[in-house]
Amino acid sequence: MIPKRLWDVVATFTRSAVADFAPANCAEASKALTVVSRLAVWTTETACLPLERNIVFSGRHIETFAARQMGGLSPVVARNERLRLLRIAGELHSFDPVRRDAGKKPRPNPFAPYSPAALVRFRSQAATRSTPLRRHNWMMLLSLAAGCALTTTEIVHLKANDVDTTEDGVTVTVTGASPRTVVCLAEWEDDIRHLLHAPLVVDYLFVKDVRPNDAVAYVKKFLNSTAKGSEFPTVERLRSTWIVGHLEARTPIVALAQALGVKTYTTFERLARFVTVPEVDELQALFRGELNR
């Protein structure tokens, strides 16, 4: 509870800070108001410091507050409140009142391809997952989405005998609504070969006792929980990475549509802005048909 004599000054400070933080919804705003007001009361009442943002939202001050005032909370609640304060502090330190969207995080494009550095990071994260099962499924999602552009549902229902490995490469036979055969990118072949012969694999490559009714929701929850709050890949963006890579390599769009199992070109339209436009000389050679001779 906020002491009555501190109400005006704490309320003014808290409302201003949370308004600039710009919560995404009412629930987030309520949590932010609660934790910031507690921090503000402790700052002025116990630490005897002025309510100035550079003081209240400094990392060291928040860590001190967490260590001294959150001892009575459960570890999970204490961790969440500490992280919430640090996230609010991060937003306010970069707050620019001139910006119309001040305090708001830009929404990431759900179809934007990943950079090569991001793919390397996601690969390396697999080794740090907490159990062999999580490590296997993490790499399986990564390999089949980035290497073969399979959808979430197709990955979850893919069986080991649907994958063919030869000296010429790895191909995946997709059944269901969009039957087709997809040739895996060379850079992901070794990962799929290794995962195919993993001790955990009995029938399905994505290991789970029972197939989930909603594969998309299950996989999103799996990646979110496995990543423990850090950045995690999405199947859609991994598929976009595969598509843009092929478009950059001038793979025919008709062949790409067949490999993706799509019947319209909407997918390519929304990814067109991520594809590098060829130089004038290359464009001229392409349109004259010289590159195919």
Side-chain angles (χ1 to χ4, degrees):
M1 296 294 292
I2 301 175
K4 192 172 183 179
R5 58 188 174 80
L6 297 177
W7 172 252
D8 289 339
V9 63
V10 168
T12 300
F13 176 86
T14 300
R15 287 170 178 164
S16 172
V18 173
D20 291 344
F21 170 61
N25 50 55
C26 292
E28 185 179 10
S30 177
K31 293 175 181 178
L33 286 167
T34 299
V35 73
V36 171
S37 63
R38 290 175 183 167
L39 176 62
V41 170
W42 182 82
T43 300
T44 186
E45 182 79 347
T46 304
C48 299
L49 295 172
L51 289 181
E52 299 175 3
R53 288 192 186 183
N54 62 325
I55 295 175
V56 176
F57 292 108
S58 70
R60 180 176 296 180
H61 186 70
I62 291 174
E63 294 293 357
T64 302
F65 170 74
R68 296 182 181 179
Q69 293 298 113
M70 295 185 182
L73 303 177
S74 69
V76 174
V77 174
R79 176 179 177 274
N80 289 342
E81 294 216 348
R82 172 181 166 273
L83 290 177
R84 184 172 292 111
L85 279 174
L86 291 173
R87 188 170 69 252
I88 292 171
E91 289 289 338
L92 294 181
H93 282 317
S94 60
F95 175 74
D96 181 1
V98 176
R99 292 194 345 244
R100 293 182 62 187
D101 62 337
K104 296 182 180 179
K105 296 180 181 179
R107 289 186 177 183
N109 187 317
F111 300 105
Y114 288 116
S115 66
L119 292 179
V120 170
R121 187 167 64 253
F122 292 141
R123 277 181 189 259
S124 63
Q125 287 175 356
T128 65
R129 303 309 91 177
S130 58
T131 66
L133 177 61
R134 286 188 166 194
R135 291 193 288 272
H136 172 86
N137 283 342
W138 179 283
M139 275 305 300
M140 185 57 67
L141 287 165
L142 197 62
S143 302
L144 292 176
C148 304
L150 268 59
T151 66
T152 303
T153 301
E154 290 168 347
I155 293 172
V156 170
H157 290 90
L158 189 71
K159 295 186 176 181
N161 57 15
D162 294 329
V163 181
D164 186 30
T165 59
T166 65
E167 293 182 356
D168 296 327
V170 174
T171 58
V172 175
T173 300
V174 181
T175 58
S178 304
R180 63 196 188 277
T181 298
V182 184
V183 179
C184 178
L185 288 176
E187 62 190 275
W188 294 97
E189 287 180 355
D190 289 342
D191 294 295
I192 293 178
R193 291 178 194 273
H194 175 74
L195 293 167
L196 188 63
H197 298 95
L200 293 169
V201 174
V202 177
D203 190 7
Y204 293 95
L205 291 182
F206 185 87
V207 179
K208 193 179 187 306
D209 293 337
V210 180
R211 298 298 97 185
N213 293 327
D214 188 340
V216 175
Y218 177 83
V219 166
K220 183 177 180 180
K221 182 178 180 181
F222 164 78
L223 289 170
N224 190 14
S225 61
T226 304
K228 298 186 182 299
S230 60
E231 180 190 13
F232 59 89
T234 67
V235 172
E236 282 299 333
R237 292 187 64 185
L238 291 171
R239 278 167 51 83
S240 296
T241 306
W242 184 92
I243 297 169
V244 171
H246 275 293
L247 291 174
E248 294 273 10
R250 311 296 180 247
T251 304
I253 290 183
V254 173
L256 283 179
Q258 292 175 346
L260 289 166
V262 299
K263 297 181 180 180
T264 67
Y265 294 104
T266 305
T267 300
F268 305 113
E269 291 173 4
R270 66 173 174 239
L271 294 177
R273 64 192 183 95
F274 298 109
V275 181
T276 304
V277 178
E279 297 292 336
V280 175
D281 293 344
E282 184 182 357
L283 273 176
Q284 185 175 10
L286 280 169
F287 283 115
R288 294 183 65 191
E290 294 179 341
L291 294 184
N292 297 323
R293 294 177 184 174

